[in-house]
Amino acid sequence: MNSWKLGIITAALGVGLGAWLVDVSHGDSPLKIADGMKVTMEYTLTLADKTVVDTTDGKGPFSYVQGNGEIIPGLEKALAGMKAGDKKRVPVTAEQGYGPYDDKQKVTVPKDKLPPDVKVGTMLRDQTGRPAKVLEVSDKSAVIDLNHPLAGKNLTFDVNILKVEKAPPAK
C-alpha cells in the first residue's frame, strides 16, 4: 500500500490508525527466478523410459546462477519465473538439452595415447575435460565417442525450487 493511500485511509477513518497499518507494498514478496538470481533446488533427471540418470536425493540440493549458462538451456528457460516452494515437471528436448547426437564426434585415436587398461565402455576425458566413451578397441587404435552421454536424448526434470536469492557479486 502506497503511503499516500495509507494517509487517505487514516484520514477517512478519522482516527490515528497509521501506527496499526503496515505498508505491504515493499514486503517480503517471494523472489522469482530471473537472470542473476541464485537458485537452490532439488531435482531428478529421467530419460523417456523412466530411467533415473541423476538426482539430488541423498546428495543435497543443487545451486546455480540463472542466466550464466550453468545448466542446459531448456531447463534454464523453463525455470524462469518460478519461486521458492514451486515444483514442476520440465520436459527438455535433445536440442535444448545436450544437443543432437553427432556421428562426427566419433574419433579414432592411437591406442598408445590412451591409458593402458582402456577397454570398451571406459569413460575418459579429452584435453578440454569433455567426457569421452571408448566404443571400440583394437591392437593399435580405439574409437572414442566425444558426444555428451545425454546427447540426442529427450530429458525430463522433476524440480523442487528451495530458494531464490540475489546472487553474490562475482569475484
Side-chain angles (χ1 to χ4, degrees):
M1 184 176 302
N2 293 331
S3 58
W4 66 270
K5 287 182 183 176
L6 181 59
I8 290 172
I9 291 171
T10 304
L13 292 173
V15 292
L17 294 178
W20 291 83
L21 299 175
V22 177
D23 182 357
V24 294
S25 64
H26 301 95
D28 293 327
S29 62
L31 295 174
K32 291 184 178 180
I33 297 175
D35 286 356
M37 302 301 283
K38 180 179 177 186
V39 179
T40 302
M41 67 178 182
E42 297 170 325
Y43 71 88
T44 298
L45 167 60
T46 55
L47 299 176
D49 66 1
K50 309 293 185 224
T51 301
V52 174
V53 177
D54 193 15
T55 183
T56 57
D57 286 350
K59 299 179 193 173
F62 170 78
S63 295
Y64 75 99
V65 176
Q66 179 81 0
N68 282 4
E70 296 172 21
I71 62 174
I72 58 174
L75 180 59
E76 189 168 58
K77 181 178 178 183
L79 296 180
M82 293 180 69
K83 58 188 181 311
D86 287 351
K87 294 181 181 183
K88 187 176 192 180
R89 175 164 282 170
V90 179
V92 177
T93 64
E95 291 74 21
Q96 287 295 303
Y98 293 95
Y101 189 86
D102 182 1
D103 281 322
K104 294 176 186 165
Q105 292 294 314
K106 291 181 187 175
V107 295
T108 302
V109 296
K111 191 173 176 187
D112 63 359
K113 300 286 183 191
L114 300 172
D117 59 344
V118 72
K119 60 185 179 205
V120 172
T122 300
M123 290 301 294
L124 305 170
R125 296 221 175 258
D126 72 1
Q127 301 88 334
T128 65
R130 274 191 318 180
K133 184 176 183 179
V134 177
L135 299 179
E136 299 172 24
V137 179
S138 69
D139 290 340
K140 297 195 185 269
S141 64
V143 176
I144 309 294
D145 185 355
L146 296 172
N147 283 289
H148 187 282
L150 297 176
K153 298 183 192 272
N154 293 327
L155 311 170
T156 301
F157 288 86
D158 287 296
V159 298
N160 177 19
I161 306 301
L162 301 175
K163 190 187 309 183
V164 179
E165 58 193 329
K166 293 182 179 172
K171 294 181 181 181

